[in-house]
Structure formats: structure tokens, C-alpha cells
Amino acid sequence: MAKRDLLRIDDLSRAELVALLNRAQTLRTMRAEGGRVEPLRGKTLAMIFEKASTRTRVSFESGAFLLGGQAIMLRPDELQIGRGESMADTARVLSRYIDGIMIRTFSHQIIEDLAHYATVPVINGLTDLTHPCQVLADLQTCQMAFGAQALPTMTVAWIGDGNNMAHSWINAAKVLGFQLRLACPAGYDPDPSILAAAGDRAVLVRDPREAAEGAHVITTDVWASMGQEAEQAARVAAFKGFQVDEALMALGDGDAIFLHCLPAHRGEEVSAEVIDGPRSWILDEAENRLHAQNAVMEWLMGGRPLL
Ligand code: CP
Ligand code: NVA
């Protein structure tokens, strides 16, 4: 059987995504009750980070340990990649030593090349195009807030940049069938082909209020992603009026929740009142990175079938 990777949410079928989310929640409950499973016993995850990380790095390293395995942190400046060794040779050699590769990098093409040449599963820890592990955790959080049966019928409002997180939400709407409304300022739209592939499940508007109206989930992200630091001032100007504040939250459903992948800039994309307020699920969302990724590693590296 061909090896599987997780590069995008829409690498998964609907049944696989539902099974992963259910397993993630089971692993969360199991951990809270002191239970554990060790499908990674004797196995190693290599983690390559070409960008900074708090949550992804710690949740994958801790997660591999919790599942009975270990993780090795590989910084590009310590690898021969930093001296020009190709991704193809790196992928083929690492595959002889370890059981899975998690990578955070810039261009999505890099991870596609890595996955092509590696003979072990590759997991996307964020590229400029997508951030699937984060949206798995976000969906698990929605499931906790509203129940698993509500996922296909919820409405999600994305406010802000049409970035890697927005793309993974669009992919998720395509796979699960919920309604996604994205409010992005002109010039900061999501990738047109990713948007088009979701059909009427993902709609682009210009007014954040139109996106938030009646939404069950209101979510946003930083205005300048990693690698876009030089554009910060221009983006602050362009995203004026796109802050998620109490007034915007009030337009949502009465039980609407707020999500943010973090790190956040209070006073820019979200007000402190909202992100630190009663509708914010950000800490459960961050915790769910651990459980969602453990479900992914158990499946891809630990041999536990999803279906
Ligand atoms: N949300 C997220 O991926 O956080 P880190 O950048 O800290 O890994
Ligand atoms: N869009 C953000 C997400 C950080 C987790 C970035 O790429 O920097």
C-alpha cells in the first residue's frame, strides 16, 4: 500500500477527517483520565523547522514522547540543507533512519518535493500555502463546542488575510461541507484555485460584518504572517476595519465562539476583550494541536488504520 502524507486537509476523505477528529477527542479524554497508548514505541519523528514555532514544535515533540516514541529537532543551519544539499537526498537519507518527517517551511513545493522523495510519511507543520494540523485542532475545538453532528451544518467566518490558515479552512469546508464566509480586504484574497475548488461552500466577501452575521465560529489570524514582516505597516493600513471586536462577535450566533491559531496581536486582528473573553476557546484550540497531531501520527506512523 502506498504511504500516506498529510500535506493538506483535502488530502483526507470526509470519512477519514471525521475519524481523525473523533480519534483526537478520544486521545484527549484518555490523556485527561491518565490512560495512554504507545503506537510509536521504538519510532522517531524528525522535525525540520525553517520558521519559528512554539505550539507546533512543543506539541509534536511532546506528542511523539506521549505515544511512546521520540522526536528529533533538526534546524536547517545544522543540516547539510543549509550548505546546499538537495531536499531529495535529505528526504531519501532521513527515510533510512526515522519513521516520519514533520516540516515547517516556506514554499509548499518544498514539502511536495520532500513527500515525493521520502519513503516515510510527511506531515505539514505549516507552509506559506496551508496549515492543516492547526485546522484539524480547530475543527476538534468546534466539535467540543457544538458536538460532532453540528460540524457539517455550522457557519464559519474567516476575518482577515487570505493566508495559509484561510486556505486550510477552505479545504476543510470543501471536505466536510460546512459554510465558510471569508472577509478579506481587496488584494489579500485567498488563492483563487483553492477557493474555486470549494464551490459554494466557501464564499468571499469584503465586509467583515457580512461574514460574521449569524456565524457559529468567528476566527482570524495575524495580518502579517511569518516571512511578511517587511509588509507589516502596509498591512496594518490595508486591514483597517478588519479587527474582530465585541461588536463583530455580537453579530454572530448567540453561542458563537472565537478561535485564533496564535500567536496573536491584541489590538490588531483581535481586541483583547474578545481573545481573553468568555467566547474565546484559544487555549483548548492550542491544546488540541497535541491530540489532533497524535491522532495523525498514530495513523501515519503507528499503523493504526483510520477507517
Ligand atoms: N499556531 C501555530 O502553529 O503556532 P506556532 O507558530 O507557535 O507553532
Ligand atoms: N499565518 C501565520 C500562522 C502562524 C501559526 C503564519 O504563517 O505566520
Side-chain angles (χ1 to χ4, degrees):
M1 202 166 51
K3 66 129 182 167
R4 294 285 298 271
D5 305 297
L6 181 63
L7 307 190
R8 300 166 48 132
I9 293 275
D10 55 354
D11 288 344
L12 301 163
S13 68
R14 181 181 297 204
E16 286 173 337
L17 178 50
V18 167
L20 256 185
L21 295 173
N22 287 336
R23 182 61 181 167
Q25 193 55 27
T26 299
L27 291 175
R28 180 172 169 136
T29 305
M30 192 186 292
R31 180 159 192 251
E33 292 171 352
R36 63 188 299 178
V37 286
E38 298 200 327
L40 297 196
R41 189 185 284 270
K43 299 199 171 183
T44 300
L45 174 74
M47 306 191 298
I48 304 174
F49 280 93
E50 299 197 288
K51 293 177 178 174
S53 170
T54 297
R55 280 144 289 269
T56 306
R57 190 259 161 103
V58 179
S59 57
F60 266 107
E61 184 157 349
S62 165
F65 175 74
L66 280 171
L67 294 179
Q70 66 168 356
I72 306 178
M73 172 76 171
L74 300 170
R75 292 169 21 150
D77 60 327
E78 294 171 347
L79 292 170
Q80 296 285 13
I81 290 175
R83 294 180 55 248
E85 185 168 18
S86 72
M87 201 46 99
D89 282 351
T90 304
R92 289 186 290 217
V93 171
L94 285 180
S95 298
R96 297 293 179 104
Y97 304 135
I98 45 84
D99 306 282
I101 304 171
M102 192 285 305
I103 180 168
R104 166 168 288 194
T105 188
F106 291 88
S107 152
H108 198 77
Q109 189 61 48
I110 293 173
I111 203 169
E112 288 190 345
D113 291 347
L114 186 71
H116 177 75
Y117 288 106
T119 54
V120 297
V122 173
I123 301 170
N124 181 353
L126 181 148
T127 66
D128 290 343
L129 193 72
T130 60
H131 196 3
C133 291
Q134 181 65 55
V135 171
L136 283 179
D138 294 7
L139 294 170
Q140 186 190 344
T141 311
C142 295
Q143 193 162 305
M144 287 174 66
F146 305 121
Q149 75 294 340
L151 247 50
T153 57
M154 67 183 179
T155 296
V156 178
W158 173 267
I159 312 293
D161 194 14
N163 65 9
N164 45 10
M165 279 296 300
H167 293 151
S168 285
W169 271 109
I170 296 169
N171 289 336
K174 178 175 88 171
V175 175
L176 285 179
F178 61 82
Q179 184 67 61
L180 176 65
R181 289 192 219 118
L182 305 110
C184 308
Y188 296 93
D189 292 354
D191 180 283
S193 63
I194 291 181
L195 188 64
D200 67 359
R201 296 300 77 208
V203 183
L204 177 64
V205 298
R206 294 285 173 230
D207 184 350
R209 289 168 299 185
E210 190 181 342
E213 187 76 47
H216 304 98
V217 180
I218 299 179
T219 183
T220 185
D221 189 10
V222 289
W223 290 339
S225 286
M226 289 181 277
Q228 298 171 336
E229 289 78 5
E231 300 173 29
Q232 175 71 21
R235 284 172 171 266
V236 167
F239 286 83
K240 194 170 180 303
F242 281 75
Q243 183 183 96
V244 179
D245 57 13
E246 293 280 15
L248 198 70
M249 288 301 297
L251 295 175
D253 181 77
D255 293 323
I257 65 168
F258 174 76
L259 297 179
H260 191 308
C261 63
L262 304 179
H265 292 150
R266 287 166 175 77
E268 291 188 17
E269 76 274 8
V270 61
S271 70
E273 290 74 18
V274 168
I275 195 167
D276 299 318
R279 292 182 182 277
S280 175
W281 281 65
I282 56 164
L283 294 181
D284 281 301
E285 182 185 6
E287 176 180 338
N288 286 339
R289 292 293 301 276
L290 177 72
H291 310 299
Q293 292 160 190
N294 279 2
V296 169
M297 288 195 284
E298 193 187 38
W299 165 49
L300 291 179
M301 296 169 60
R304 182 182 189 275
L306 266 189
L307 301 177

